[in-house]
Amino acid sequence: MKDPPAPRRSPARGGALQEGHASSAWALHRPGSREVGLLSLAVVGISLSAPLTAMVTAPMLALAFWRNAAGAAALVPVLVTRERGTLSGLKARDLRSSVVAGLFLAAHFAAWLPSLSMTTVAASVALATTTPIWTALAARISGVRLSAAVWWGLLLAFAGVVLIVGVDVTVSAEALAGDALALLGAVCAGGYVLAGARARQRLATSAYAVLCYSVCAAVIAGAALLVDVPLAGFEARDWWLIAGITVSAQLFGHTLLNLVLSSVGPTVVSLAVLLEVPGALLFALILLGQVPPLLALPGVVLVVAGVALVVRAGRPTMLVEPGT
């Protein structure tokens, strides 16, 4: 899938995020009907990921391996036939950030996927989408000044996390551990996002994705071998679920969001990703009959509102990509 041409010049909107020229690649652009359709399909894809994952009985390391390995394999023809020219002149140092992104992505899956069987889908997904919170804090540690709106967003999201965790303390120790794993997965996703943003300065989307997904799959395969977790020999139902997750989340979700990124800007993409929370909750209700504790719902709402505020007011380095 070829990267779209650079977006047309248009007035930038979005307050603090839009410092600089309106024609910047980070500017917010009104999505057309094509982009709205692609974003809608991508949101459905990533929203299906968590509920389908909760239905898998195969080991989570196996699921993470196959969705990344298959995702990389599916994008190789695109790289070879349509974006091969982008590989000319690349040096080893140009690939380092993609490798680092793959390592962070593997850590994200290793933490987040098990959380889905330990806490509710709604809590796990809400906590996993706090990635912009952690990239904002990383930016602050590196010396970037954050606006008041970002700090308010951080405060709202933190309050939401406290509410969710407080409810799960009364549910079970396992649910609390699941919350901790989901948060760890979000932190690792932050590293994946930051490394990926640096990698895509030199690599086309397909080249970056193939290398990142391949590194992630290789690391997970090594971890599975180390802890003696099988990567095959599952029931047909699990294979169908793994295939469905790969198509919906890995290809439609990740790839379509990356495809429209340069035409609508990271703010629109980041806000679209937040729709995964209500989407995953709806699919969990339909597919699993899973209703989150009513007391946890205000926490989910606060997390989404806080992250949305951070994304809306933050710097470009706070771009969020789906880790699900």
Side-chain angles (χ1 to χ4, degrees):
M1 197 174 293
K2 193 173 182 180
D3 287 337
R8 295 175 296 175
R9 292 176 181 268
S10 63
R13 302 179 185 181
L17 180 66
Q18 305 305 335
E19 296 175 4
H21 299 293
S23 59
S24 167
W26 296 107
L28 186 151
H29 303 276
R30 185 183 300 277
S33 57
R34 172 180 176 272
E35 285 80 10
V36 169
L38 292 174
L39 284 170
S40 300
L41 186 58
V43 169
V44 171
I46 60 176
S47 297
L48 278 167
S49 175
L52 291 179
T53 297
M55 298 169 65
V56 175
T57 59
M60 291 295 101
L61 284 178
L63 168 60
F65 168 78
W66 285 111
R67 63 177 284 181
N68 280 277
L75 292 173
V76 167
V78 178
L79 175 60
V80 172
T81 60
R82 304 191 63 179
E83 295 182 345
R84 182 171 52 189
T86 64
L87 300 178
S88 60
L90 287 176
K91 298 180 175 59
R93 65 173 178 269
D94 299 328
L95 307 179
R96 281 194 296 240
S97 293
S98 297
V99 173
V100 172
L103 295 174
F104 272 115
L105 186 58
H108 161 75
F109 282 127
W112 175 69
L113 289 178
S115 75
L116 289 165
S117 62
M118 302 169 70
T119 187
T120 63
V121 167
S124 176
V125 173
L127 296 174
T129 56
T130 59
T131 297
I133 302 299
W134 308 109
T135 55
L137 291 176
R140 182 66 189 91
I141 292 172
S142 67
V144 175
R145 294 182 62 184
L146 302 180
S147 67
V150 172
W151 285 113
W152 277 112
L154 291 172
L155 184 61
L156 279 177
F158 178 74
V161 169
V162 170
L163 278 177
I164 293 172
V165 170
V167 171
D168 281 350
V169 166
T170 64
V171 173
S172 69
E174 183 181 48
L176 186 61
D179 292 343
L181 285 175
L183 279 174
L184 178 59
V187 173
C188 294
Y192 160 62
V193 167
L194 294 175
R198 183 182 292 266
R200 289 199 309 276
Q201 291 177 338
R202 295 184 178 271
L203 296 178
T205 300
S206 63
Y208 161 69
V210 167
L211 181 55
C212 176
Y213 295 171
S214 297
V215 169
C216 179
V219 170
I220 291 171
L225 181 64
L226 187 64
V227 298
D228 197 26
V229 170
L231 297 179
F234 314 128
E235 296 181 358
R237 177 178 178 275
D238 277 338
W239 285 116
W240 282 112
L241 286 170
I242 291 172
I245 293 165
T246 300
V247 172
S248 63
Q250 202 76 16
L251 296 178
F252 283 121
H254 282 238
T255 306
L256 291 183
L257 287 169
N258 279 322
L259 182 65
V260 301
L261 178 61
S262 64
S263 59
V264 301
T267 301
V268 172
V269 171
S270 299
L271 292 175
V273 168
L274 291 181
L275 294 176
E276 178 189 0
V277 178
L281 195 155
L282 177 62
F283 282 124
L285 180 63
I286 295 172
L287 298 175
L288 303 172
Q290 187 179 97
V291 181
L294 289 179
L295 291 176
L297 290 179
V300 171
V301 172
L302 283 177
V303 167
V304 173
V307 173
L309 190 56
V310 170
V311 169
R312 187 67 181 81
R315 298 292 297 175
T317 51
M318 294 167 202
L319 168 66
V320 60
E321 294 180 9
T324 56

